[in-house]
Amino acid sequence: MPAAPAAPAFPEAAAAATADERLRANLRHATRTIREKRARAVAELSDWTELRAAAKAVKDHTLRHLDRYLVQLEQAVTAAGGTVHWASDADEANRIVTGLVRATDEREVVKVKSMATQEIGLNEALAAAGITAYETDLAELIVQLGEDRPSHILVPAIHRNRGEIREIFAARMADWGRPAPEGLSDAPADLAEAARLHLREKFLRAEVAVSGANFMVAETGTLVVVESEGNGRMCLTLPRTLISVVGIEKVVPTWRDLEIFLQVLPRSSTAERMNPYTSFWTGTAGGGDAGAGAAGATGAGADGPSVFHLVLLDNGRTAALADPTGRQALRCIRCSACLNVCPVYERAGGHAYGSVYPGPIGAILTPQLRGVATELDASLPYASSLCGACYEVCPVAIDIPEVLVHLRERVTDRPGHRLERAAVAAATYVLDRPALLRAAERAAARTRRFHPRRLPGPGRAWTDTRELPAVPPEPFRDWWRRNRT
């Protein structure tokens, strides 16, 4: 993952975000609506617990044997007419994609919503090479036109209300080749129609598309994208060249395994029984030894690309895989259910996390992909109340609180926490010696009137938001000894 941007640590960013009343109102309305719909959709399935356990088991098995399944995937994609590229980090991935686009002599690409390409900063890399990338997902389009940043995994523009969106369209669409309709209202149907008109010509003239993928099936080399708008289907089938940038953890062994995830993902993300658009493609249209072609799901066929490139992205994932506790973050299927139930995210919003991956999953994934070298990434494991709501809704049973605590241990092992380690060591020494503990308790009780309400020096940060508990007049052991008879 690229080095952390120059952004404040989570506490400072969250403090600014929570002071924005409009942002908090937008988030509160959106997250509560989504999580209530999700709860109803999940309740329809009597075997949801079994599906969740199965999804977890498949992901854990795949991660344990990831090397084997990635090789199998490469062989299947190649046999179907595709070309596989391996990218160890963001810079290498950007060089590969930029080179592939340049080789087509095109200077525009249309894009399917992809967190992997956001993670590596692909749009910026393409722009530096003179290539314009057009986001086609409605929410991503809003973010791009507004020169903004995504703040949610599923709904990147969740921090915007429809009035703000109308203002962005009216002000910026002309800069991208087509002005917004005159008298554009903030009605959702009008905003959606304005986006369709804006994007239609780009779909029709595009020769190159860039996508991610929700899943990759190792046994056939098939890639899968699920979406709600149909823009992804247009990008995957109309352009001549398709370039897919996908994290190595997105592979599943078989089609039978994929069936599980096509049940748990839509209910956990959009609260739907199935996604309106589920697109599959295997290599190139009519290409390869297997004679496989790209095709849309749900009975809709399409010619698909005649040139297909798959860029398999590591970018810190192998390092995360080496951590027995932290690797469970790689199970994530990007449903965003954890964001919608998180009380911290609901109040602070996604931008406070300083990463393309916000919310509880971002608090454990980002520090593993980037490390905890910066104050931003070191602060993310503390961006949680450890209430456990995220674990309860996760469709692949990632124990986010467990990983948060694990990462906090890594943070405290960094240089610069000498005072904290010294305080813990001193407390351990006293607690291991009952006689010394009794003496300390009695001394604290006798000097209680002199105790400050706030700690001095480095301890002030702790007491800025809480008061020290009052010391009782006498230790409990002394009280018990005096009153037990």
Side-chain angles (χ1 to χ4, degrees):
M1 202 168 184
F10 182 83
E12 290 77 17
T18 53
D20 186 334
E21 294 185 5
R22 182 164 65 173
L23 172 66
R24 292 185 63 177
N26 292 348
L27 289 169
R28 182 168 56 250
H29 172 73
T31 56
R32 291 182 181 180
T33 299
I34 295 171
R35 68 173 176 254
E36 288 169 3
K37 290 175 61 179
R38 177 202 172 274
R40 291 193 295 270
V42 167
E44 293 178 352
L45 295 182
S46 60
D47 61 345
W48 177 260
T49 301
E50 290 78 9
L51 279 169
R52 186 175 186 245
K56 173 182 181 294
V58 169
K59 279 289 188 177
D60 283 345
H61 167 81
T62 308
L63 292 173
R64 283 196 300 271
H65 304 283
L66 189 57
D67 54 345
R68 169 157 57 94
Y69 289 119
L70 287 173
V71 170
Q72 183 183 9
L73 174 74
E74 180 183 30
Q75 292 170 344
V77 170
T78 303
T83 303
V84 176
H85 309 262
W86 298 82
S88 60
D89 57 23
D91 289 340
E92 186 173 11
N94 286 331
R95 284 196 301 271
I96 291 169
V97 177
T98 301
L100 292 172
V101 177
R102 278 178 165 167
T104 67
D105 292 327
E106 294 294 323
R107 288 297 177 262
E108 294 181 344
V109 301
V110 288
K111 286 189 67 205
V112 186
K113 180 180 182 296
S114 164
M115 300 202 72
T117 60
Q118 293 171 4
E119 175 187 325
I120 64 176
L122 179 61
N123 286 10
E124 292 77 10
L126 291 174
I131 301 165
T132 302
Y134 295 108
E135 297 289 352
T136 64
D137 174 83
L138 177 57
E140 291 287 1
L141 174 65
I142 294 165
V143 170
Q144 185 178 41
L145 289 175
E147 297 182 339
D148 201 351
R149 291 177 295 139
S151 65
H152 191 275
I153 289 175
L154 179 66
V155 194
I158 196 172
H159 56 289
R160 298 289 194 182
N161 61 37
R162 63 191 194 185
E164 294 174 287
I165 295 168
R166 188 203 67 80
E167 292 172 5
I168 291 170
F169 281 10
R172 294 302 311 280
M173 275 189 169
D175 298 340
W176 290 79
R178 184 187 185 97
E182 291 187 13
L184 178 66
S185 76
D186 64 358
D190 291 344
L191 296 173
E193 180 62 17
R196 288 190 195 97
L197 295 173
H198 176 75
L199 292 171
R200 188 165 296 157
E201 60 179 312
K202 295 175 175 53
F203 285 131
L204 294 176
R205 73 172 184 240
E207 291 292 330
V208 182
V210 175
S211 82
N214 294 94
F215 306 102
M216 303 180 289
V217 183
E219 70 174 348
T220 60
T222 302
L223 276 70
V224 186
V225 161
V226 298
E227 45 146 348
S228 298
E229 299 172 16
N231 62 292
R233 178 73 58 80
M234 300 283 279
C235 291
L236 297 171
T237 55
L238 290 179
R240 179 177 180 275
T241 299
L242 173 61
I243 305 167
S244 299
V245 183
V246 190
I248 56 176
E249 81 281 13
K250 294 297 188 72
V251 65
V252 296
T254 69
W255 276 87
R256 184 175 182 180
D257 299 317
L258 178 64
E259 174 192 355
I260 299 168
F261 298 101
L262 293 183
Q263 293 183 73
V264 298
L265 177 56
R267 290 177 186 270
S268 282
S269 57
T270 56
E272 295 169 301
R273 297 181 181 92
M274 65 179 293
N275 291 97
Y277 295 89
T278 302
S279 299
F280 308 98
W281 69 100
T282 307
T284 58
D289 298 335
T298 323
D303 289 337
S306 57
V307 179
F308 171 56
H309 295 275
L310 171 59
V311 181
L312 291 171
L313 177 68
D314 187 330
N315 204 35
R317 287 157 174 80
T318 299
L321 189 64
D323 184 339
T325 301
R327 73 169 62 130
Q328 59 184 299
L330 297 179
R331 290 186 214 143
C332 178
I333 57 175
R334 311 291 192 265
C335 70
S336 76
C338 62
L339 281 69
N340 300 325
V341 299
C342 178
V344 177
Y345 175 86
E346 182 181 309
R347 288 156 180 80
H351 291 159
Y353 293 82
S355 165
V356 66
Y357 302 111
I361 188 61
I364 64 171
L365 186 59
T366 300
Q368 293 191 85
L369 297 183
R370 294 199 301 216
V372 293
T374 68
E375 288 305 312
L376 168 62
D377 295 318
S379 70
L380 289 177
Y382 296 90
S384 170
S385 65
L386 299 179
C387 68
C390 50
Y391 170 64
E392 294 299 324
V393 299
C394 178
V396 290
I398 302 172
D399 193 340
I400 293 178
E402 178 188 33
V403 182
L404 286 167
V405 173
H406 171 66
L407 292 176
R408 290 179 186 185
E409 293 173 357
R410 283 175 48 183
V411 171
T412 57
D413 285 341
R414 297 190 317 159
H417 287 64
R418 291 190 298 272
L419 289 177
E420 183 176 358
R421 287 197 293 273
V424 171
T428 301
Y429 183 86
V430 172
L431 292 170
D432 280 345
R433 293 160 176 80
L436 184 57
L437 177 61
R438 284 195 295 272
E441 289 173 339
R442 287 169 180 162
R446 290 168 184 164
T447 60
R448 60 194 295 266
R449 70 179 65 181
F450 303 110
H451 293 178
R453 302 291 291 185
R454 298 178 62 188
L455 292 174
R460 175 174 294 179
W462 195 84
T463 53
D464 278 345
T465 55
R466 55 183 67 80
E467 291 185 352
L468 289 171
V471 177
E474 63 178 331
F476 175 78
R477 289 179 178 82
D478 291 350
W479 179 91
W480 178 257
R481 189 177 298 107
R482 183 164 48 81
N483 291 283
R484 63 181 176 178
T485 57

